[in-house]
Amino acid sequence: MAKTQAVRGMNDVLPSETPIWQHLEECFARVVKSFGYSEIRFPVLEQTQLFKRSIGEVTDIVEKEMYSFEDRNGDNLSLRPEGTAGCVRAADQHGLLYNQQQRLWYQGAMFRHERPQKGRYRQFQQFGVETYGMAGPGIDVELMQLSSALWQELGINSHVRLELNNIGDAQERGEYTQALRKFFIDHKSGLDSEALRRLETNPLRILDSKNPSLQSILDKAPLLADFVSDKSKDHFDELLSLLDVAEIDYVINPKLVRGLDYYNSCVFEWVTDALGAQGTVCGGGRYDGLVEQLGGKSTFAAGFAMGAERLVLLLEELTNLRDQLSKRADVFILVRDEDCIGAAQALAKNLRFHLPSRSVVIHYGGGKVSSQLKGAIAAGAQFACILESEQLKDSSSLRLRKLDDVGESTDCFIADVPDKLIKCLL
RNA sequence: GUGACUGUAGCUCAGCUGGUAGAGCCCUGGACUGUGACUCCGGUGGUCGCGGGUUCGAACCCCGUCAGUCACCCCA
């Protein structure tokens, strides 16, 4: 019988990769704490209706990417395809949004049934940040500063760039979409099949076309900027000047349109060229209408989410963190004779007590001392304690070997080992 | 969801026009001294992704299926 394998698009994170994940999680937690954000946790499963109402009925995500099913009660549930909807639901349900400001963060698995590719999986981890109750562009910029601080912390700031756009509110975008549709219908003869398809589904996307023969038409198309209200424009202009003060570089990308309906005003993405087609590492923006749309009180809101897998890929590609973090042991205890195991365990206990931040590993399973030494070096240990039955009985001592290029070794009373190692390792 | 390419030992890969499998690394034993990185010799390990078909005979050809990669699409 064939071995069972992981479900398509779900991937395992192996021990060689988990240190990078832990590093990423620690950095994120540190940055978010330094900005005064609080963690919120909410379920992986929600009513399907929640996602339909927030993300939008006709978006790709709800139309063809959700893991939806009926549970035993006949309720239609879905695995969350993103975090914002669940966060709003949880925060509003518990009164966190009533006449107050909130700065929240979360971390967790999201699910989308897409064709898997590197940097795009059906289960993927997101780190997200959501803020509520703040109207001005200051909070938008804070989100960008926060993400920027994380890139700094991770050492990838020179490999990502900030792109942003002002997409107006839902009504303005609706008017623009209508005008755009009308424009393209008038120029239907010049469109290719892909553009004709998008004319029905999402006319905004025609602007993205890479077909050079469409360029002359596209150049004449109406501009979103002309449909955006003055209020929205002022917000955006103010935001740009704050970004300048904050010394964060950005590119305005007029084609940047996010795939979720709830966004309005300023949206942004951090993108990289190092990951091929999956270049978006972080995306977000304002969604002032969503809380009310989901039955709450009208509340200003802005947030972003970043894809952990993509960040891990970036870190693996651009840094040598993997090697730096690969150490599994500081002290390795080798046993030449099986009857030394009790003494080895007693020594390990003592060392762990005296060196609580260090890792102490005992070799089990016998084998030559030379191959045990190899294992100790492979684990990154700096010291090996070699226990030998005879020496142990005769003098309560062991051989302490330094695992550097020189490899000098000395005899040492067991009772003195902690002191010696404390001197070297603390 | 569409298209292209790939799938052989734990890992990286050979395997010519079909004749039932190989290398390097890793692991392990020995030369070697009871204690590491070099050298040499030996050993473990594969129903060639899975299922059909063609053939006297399939890792190789055909069909299906699963998975991965890349692009489209979409997004984190």
Side-chain angles (χ1 to χ4, degrees):
Chain A
M1 178 157 133
K3 284 187 198 172
T4 56
Q5 49 189 355
V7 173
R8 181 141 139 113
M10 316 275 153
N11 54 356
D12 303 309
V13 180
L14 303 178
S16 58
E17 304 168 302
T18 45
I20 289 195
W21 278 87
Q22 288 163 2
H23 178 74
L24 180 60
E25 286 156 10
E26 284 160 16
C27 286
F28 182 74
R30 207 180 313 133
V31 169
V32 124
K33 182 164 186 277
S34 75
F35 277 76
Y37 284 60
S38 311
E39 184 183 4
I40 183 167
R41 304 187 188 195
F42 43 88
V44 167
L45 221 47
E46 298 276 359
Q47 301 284 352
T48 298
Q49 204 51 31
L50 173 68
F51 300 118
K52 287 195 176 170
R53 280 165 55 193
S54 56
I55 297 167
E57 291 269 6
V58 295
T59 55
D60 279 13
I61 293 178
V62 317
E63 265 187 346
K64 47 196 187 200
E65 294 175 2
M66 281 217 289
Y67 280 91
S68 302
F69 62 94
E70 279 196 1
D71 78 351
R72 288 165 190 271
N73 300 328
D75 293 331
N76 200 298
L77 307 179
S78 294
L79 289 169
R80 60 185 182 194
E82 58 103 42
T84 303
C87 185
V88 168
R89 197 232 80 224
D92 189 50
Q93 179 176 334
H94 297 97
L96 305 188
L97 304 182
Y98 195 80
N99 287 344
Q100 52 192 313
Q101 299 186 337
Q102 291 289 351
R103 285 177 232 257
L104 307 173
W105 69 271
Y106 60 86
Q107 169 190 358
M110 309 295 160
F111 302 83
R112 305 226 280 241
H113 192 107
E114 296 179 274
R115 181 103 161 218
Q117 207 172 311
K118 191 202 283 186
R120 188 171 81 181
Y121 310 102
R122 290 182 175 178
Q123 176 180 334
F124 57 100
Q125 290 282 325
Q126 279 190 344
F127 297 111
V129 154
E130 313 288 354
T131 67
Y132 301 98
M134 288 166 269
I139 192 63
D140 301 51
V141 172
E142 177 174 300
L143 293 176
M144 297 171 203
Q145 284 177 306
L146 192 156
S147 38
S148 176
L150 181 68
W151 314 144
Q152 196 82 37
E153 193 87 349
L154 294 171
I156 57 173
N157 46 309
S158 58
H159 298 93
V160 292
R161 66 171 180 278
L162 177 62
E163 296 191 350
L164 36 83
N165 193 20
N166 179 11
I167 62 168
D169 65 22
Q171 197 195 330
E172 293 156 14
R173 223 159 45 243
E175 286 165 13
Y176 173 64
T177 307
Q178 257 188 317
L180 204 58
R181 184 173 274 130
K182 188 158 174 280
F183 170 83
F184 282 126
I185 286 171
D186 290 344
H187 296 77
K188 214 168 180 176
S189 55
L191 300 181
D192 60 15
S193 60
E194 185 59 31
L196 288 171
R197 189 181 65 77
R198 285 170 171 170
L199 185 52
E200 300 306 319
T201 58
N202 191 350
L204 291 173
R205 286 283 166 199
I206 300 178
L207 299 171
D208 279 344
S209 175
K210 283 152 195 151
N211 187 342
S213 61
L214 288 188
Q215 282 314 311
S216 62
I217 297 178
L218 295 184
D219 290 343
K220 283 178 280 177
L223 295 171
L224 175 55
D226 295 333
F227 289 76
V228 167
S229 67
D230 287 344
K231 193 179 152 215
S232 189
K233 272 182 198 157
D234 290 346
H235 179 94
F236 196 64
D237 289 343
E238 229 177 296
L239 188 155
L240 294 183
S241 67
L242 282 175
L243 274 179
D244 290 335
V245 174
E247 295 184 316
I248 293 178
D249 293 332
Y250 59 86
V251 184
I252 294 176
N253 177 357
K255 292 175 177 173
L256 180 58
V257 186
R258 316 228 68 244
L260 296 83
D261 282 355
Y262 54 65
Y263 284 113
N264 71 288
S265 188
C266 176
V267 296
F268 66 95
E269 284 185 2
W270 288 91
V271 294
T272 177
D273 296 322
L275 292 181
Q278 261 56 55
T280 303
V281 133
C282 173
R286 239 177 209 283
Y287 52 96
D288 296 322
L290 183 58
V291 177
E292 187 172 20
Q293 195 180 317
L294 291 177
K297 220 179 125 180
S298 174
T299 306
F300 295 108
F304 69 72
M306 33 203 209
E309 283 80 2
R310 290 179 187 179
L311 290 173
V312 168
L313 285 171
L314 263 189
L315 290 174
E316 283 183 337
E317 224 152 283
L318 302 174
T319 71
N320 61 344
L321 272 175
R322 195 187 183 121
D323 293 334
Q324 287 174 37
L325 301 171
S326 65
K327 175 197 278 280
R328 300 189 300 280
D330 295 291
V331 180
F332 227 100
I333 301 176
L334 314 187
V335 285
R336 266 235 357 240
D337 309 297
E338 289 288 308
D339 60 357
C340 297
I341 285 177
Q345 290 177 328
L347 174 62
K349 182 179 177 185
N350 198 13
L351 288 174
R352 288 175 189 132
F353 176 77
H354 284 97
L355 294 159
S357 63
R358 298 293 178 164
S359 306
V360 180
V361 179
I362 303 173
H363 176 93
Y364 296 115
K368 297 190 300 184
V369 172
S370 65
S371 63
Q372 292 189 34
L373 272 170
K374 266 199 209 168
I377 291 158
Q382 294 143 80
F383 288 94
C385 299
I386 304 162
L387 286 167
E388 179 189 338
S389 191
E390 217 173 294
Q391 185 184 8
L392 191 62
K393 269 186 218 132
D394 290 354
S395 57
S396 293
S397 65
L398 51 69
R399 198 83 175 147
L400 183 63
R401 189 176 176 93
K402 204 165 181 207
L403 299 176
D404 55 12
D405 291 342
V406 183
E408 83 178 304
S409 60
T410 51
D411 286 319
C412 180
F413 290 115
I414 288 196
D416 296 339
V417 174
D419 272 350
K420 284 212 158 175
L421 292 185
I422 283 168
K423 270 191 206 128
C424 299
L425 291 175
L426 280 187

mmCIF file of all heavy atoms in Angstrom, chain A residues 357-376:
data_model
loop_
_atom_site.group_PDB
_atom_site.id
_atom_site.type_symbol
_atom_site.label_atom_id
_atom_site.label_comp_id
_atom_site.label_asym_id
_atom_site.label_seq_id
_atom_site.Cartn_x
_atom_site.Cartn_y
_atom_site.Cartn_z
ATOM 1 N N SER A 357 20.149 28.171 30.564
ATOM 2 C CA SER A 357 19.872 28.661 29.217
ATOM 3 C C SER A 357 20.608 27.828 28.161
ATOM 4 O O SER A 357 20.523 28.125 26.974
ATOM 5 C CB SER A 357 20.294 30.126 29.108
ATOM 6 O OG SER A 357 21.692 30.221 29.309
ATOM 7 N N ARG A 358 21.337 26.822 28.625
ATOM 8 C CA ARG A 358 22.101 26.000 27.687
ATOM 9 C C ARG A 358 21.452 24.639 27.497
ATOM 10 O O ARG A 358 20.679 24.186 28.332
ATOM 11 C CB ARG A 358 23.537 25.817 28.211
ATOM 12 C CG ARG A 358 24.286 27.123 28.337
ATOM 13 C CD ARG A 358 24.540 27.713 26.979
ATOM 14 N NE ARG A 358 25.214 29.008 27.066
ATOM 15 C CZ ARG A 358 25.814 29.568 26.027
ATOM 16 N NH1 ARG A 358 25.821 28.969 24.857
ATOM 17 N NH2 ARG A 358 26.388 30.741 26.161
ATOM 18 N N SER A 359 21.825 23.973 26.396
ATOM 19 C CA SER A 359 21.257 22.654 26.111
ATOM 20 C C SER A 359 22.297 21.578 26.378
ATOM 21 O O SER A 359 23.430 21.655 25.914
ATOM 22 C CB SER A 359 20.825 22.575 24.644
ATOM 23 O OG SER A 359 19.960 23.644 24.346
ATOM 24 N N VAL A 360 21.871 20.574 27.135
ATOM 25 C CA VAL A 360 22.755 19.464 27.467
ATOM 26 C C VAL A 360 22.125 18.177 26.934
ATOM 27 O O VAL A 360 20.970 17.883 27.227
ATOM 28 C CB VAL A 360 22.947 19.346 28.988
ATOM 29 C CG1 VAL A 360 23.884 18.185 29.316
ATOM 30 C CG2 VAL A 360 23.484 20.657 29.557
ATOM 31 N N VAL A 361 22.872 17.438 26.129
ATOM 32 C CA VAL A 361 22.328 16.242 25.493
ATOM 33 C C VAL A 361 23.228 15.051 25.822
ATOM 34 O O VAL A 361 24.453 15.167 25.832
ATOM 35 C CB VAL A 361 22.245 16.420 23.958
ATOM 36 C CG1 VAL A 361 21.697 15.163 23.300
ATOM 37 C CG2 VAL A 361 21.384 17.626 23.614
ATOM 38 N N ILE A 362 22.587 13.910 26.098
ATOM 39 C CA ILE A 362 23.346 12.688 26.354
ATOM 40 C C ILE A 362 23.248 11.780 25.132
ATOM 41 O O ILE A 362 22.174 11.628 24.554
ATOM 42 C CB ILE A 362 22.769 11.938 27.574
ATOM 43 C CG1 ILE A 362 22.778 12.846 28.804
ATOM 44 C CG2 ILE A 362 23.574 10.657 27.845
ATOM 45 C CD1 ILE A 362 22.077 12.236 30.001
ATOM 46 N N HIS A 363 24.353 11.182 24.768
ATOM 47 C CA HIS A 363 24.322 10.218 23.670
ATOM 48 C C HIS A 363 23.900 8.848 24.183
ATOM 49 O O HIS A 363 24.494 8.324 25.116
ATOM 50 C CB HIS A 363 25.689 10.103 23.003
ATOM 51 C CG HIS A 363 25.724 9.051 21.931
ATOM 52 N ND1 HIS A 363 25.485 9.352 20.609
ATOM 53 C CD2 HIS A 363 25.895 7.714 21.990
ATOM 54 C CE1 HIS A 363 25.532 8.230 19.905
ATOM 55 N NE2 HIS A 363 25.778 7.225 20.724
ATOM 56 N N TYR A 364 22.868 8.290 23.563
ATOM 57 C CA TYR A 364 22.455 6.921 23.897
ATOM 58 C C TYR A 364 22.674 6.031 22.689
ATOM 59 O O TYR A 364 22.742 6.482 21.559
ATOM 60 C CB TYR A 364 20.968 6.879 24.274
ATOM 61 C CG TYR A 364 20.648 7.660 25.529
ATOM 62 C CD1 TYR A 364 19.839 8.790 25.474
ATOM 63 C CD2 TYR A 364 21.168 7.261 26.757
ATOM 64 C CE1 TYR A 364 19.544 9.511 26.623
ATOM 65 C CE2 TYR A 364 20.876 7.981 27.909
ATOM 66 C CZ TYR A 364 20.065 9.105 27.839
ATOM 67 O OH TYR A 364 19.790 9.809 28.971
ATOM 68 N N GLY A 365 22.753 4.747 22.934
ATOM 69 C CA GLY A 365 22.808 3.809 21.817
ATOM 70 C C GLY A 365 24.200 3.300 21.513
ATOM 71 O O GLY A 365 24.411 2.590 20.535
ATOM 72 N N GLY A 366 25.178 3.658 22.352
ATOM 73 C CA GLY A 366 26.510 3.109 22.186
ATOM 74 C C GLY A 366 27.205 3.606 20.934
ATOM 75 O O GLY A 366 26.936 4.693 20.450
ATOM 76 N N GLY A 367 28.110 2.792 20.409
ATOM 77 C CA GLY A 367 28.877 3.202 19.242
ATOM 78 C C GLY A 367 30.243 3.713 19.666
ATOM 79 O O GLY A 367 30.494 3.975 20.832
ATOM 80 N N LYS A 368 31.101 3.854 18.707
ATOM 81 C CA LYS A 368 32.452 4.312 18.988
ATOM 82 C C LYS A 368 32.439 5.728 19.508
ATOM 83 O O LYS A 368 31.598 6.543 19.136
ATOM 84 C CB LYS A 368 33.288 4.293 17.703
ATOM 85 C CG LYS A 368 33.463 2.921 17.099
ATOM 86 C CD LYS A 368 34.498 2.967 16.000
ATOM 87 C CE LYS A 368 34.094 3.918 14.881
ATOM 88 N NZ LYS A 368 35.067 3.881 13.779
ATOM 89 N N VAL A 369 33.394 6.026 20.360
ATOM 90 C CA VAL A 369 33.510 7.392 20.854
ATOM 91 C C VAL A 369 33.737 8.354 19.694
ATOM 92 O O VAL A 369 33.211 9.465 19.675
ATOM 93 C CB VAL A 369 34.656 7.495 21.879
ATOM 94 C CG1 VAL A 369 34.910 8.951 22.244
ATOM 95 C CG2 VAL A 369 34.302 6.707 23.118
ATOM 96 N N SER A 370 34.484 7.926 18.704
ATOM 97 C CA SER A 370 34.777 8.830 17.582
ATOM 98 C C SER A 370 33.493 9.230 16.860
ATOM 99 O O SER A 370 33.329 10.385 16.487
ATOM 100 C CB SER A 370 35.759 8.179 16.618
ATOM 101 O OG SER A 370 35.184 7.046 16.020
ATOM 102 N N SER A 371 32.588 8.275 16.679
ATOM 103 C CA SER A 371 31.364 8.662 15.974
ATOM 104 C C SER A 371 30.428 9.439 16.894
ATOM 105 O O SER A 371 29.675 10.298 16.442
ATOM 106 C CB SER A 371 30.664 7.429 15.399
ATOM 107 O OG SER A 371 30.261 6.567 16.426
ATOM 108 N N GLN A 372 30.514 9.165 18.203
ATOM 109 C CA GLN A 372 29.739 9.979 19.139
ATOM 110 C C GLN A 372 30.215 11.428 19.096
ATOM 111 O O GLN A 372 29.426 12.357 19.147
ATOM 112 C CB GLN A 372 29.875 9.436 20.568
ATOM 113 C CG GLN A 372 29.221 8.080 20.776
ATOM 114 C CD GLN A 372 29.185 7.684 22.246
ATOM 115 O OE1 GLN A 372 29.049 8.538 23.110
ATOM 116 N NE2 GLN A 372 29.291 6.396 22.519
ATOM 117 N N LEU A 373 31.523 11.600 18.992
ATOM 118 C CA LEU A 373 32.082 12.943 18.887
ATOM 119 C C LEU A 373 31.585 13.659 17.639
ATOM 120 O O LEU A 373 31.256 14.845 17.669
ATOM 121 C CB LEU A 373 33.612 12.870 18.858
ATOM 122 C CG LEU A 373 34.301 12.886 20.215
ATOM 123 C CD1 LEU A 373 35.768 12.556 20.045
ATOM 124 C CD2 LEU A 373 34.137 14.237 20.884
ATOM 125 N N LYS A 374 31.543 12.907 16.563
ATOM 126 C CA LYS A 374 31.029 13.497 15.318
ATOM 127 C C LYS A 374 29.621 14.021 15.509
ATOM 128 O O LYS A 374 29.279 15.113 15.067
ATOM 129 C CB LYS A 374 31.009 12.430 14.213
ATOM 130 C CG LYS A 374 32.227 12.396 13.348
ATOM 131 C CD LYS A 374 31.860 11.655 12.078
ATOM 132 C CE LYS A 374 33.049 10.945 11.481
ATOM 133 N NZ LYS A 374 32.637 10.009 10.417
ATOM 134 N N GLY A 375 28.799 13.190 16.167
ATOM 135 C CA GLY A 375 27.422 13.598 16.415
ATOM 136 C C GLY A 375 27.363 14.854 17.265
ATOM 137 O O GLY A 375 26.555 15.752 17.012
ATOM 138 N N ALA A 376 28.232 14.927 18.272
ATOM 139 C CA ALA A 376 28.252 16.093 19.153
ATOM 140 C C ALA A 376 28.605 17.351 18.373
ATOM 141 O O ALA A 376 27.998 18.406 18.549
ATOM 142 C CB ALA A 376 29.261 15.870 20.274
#
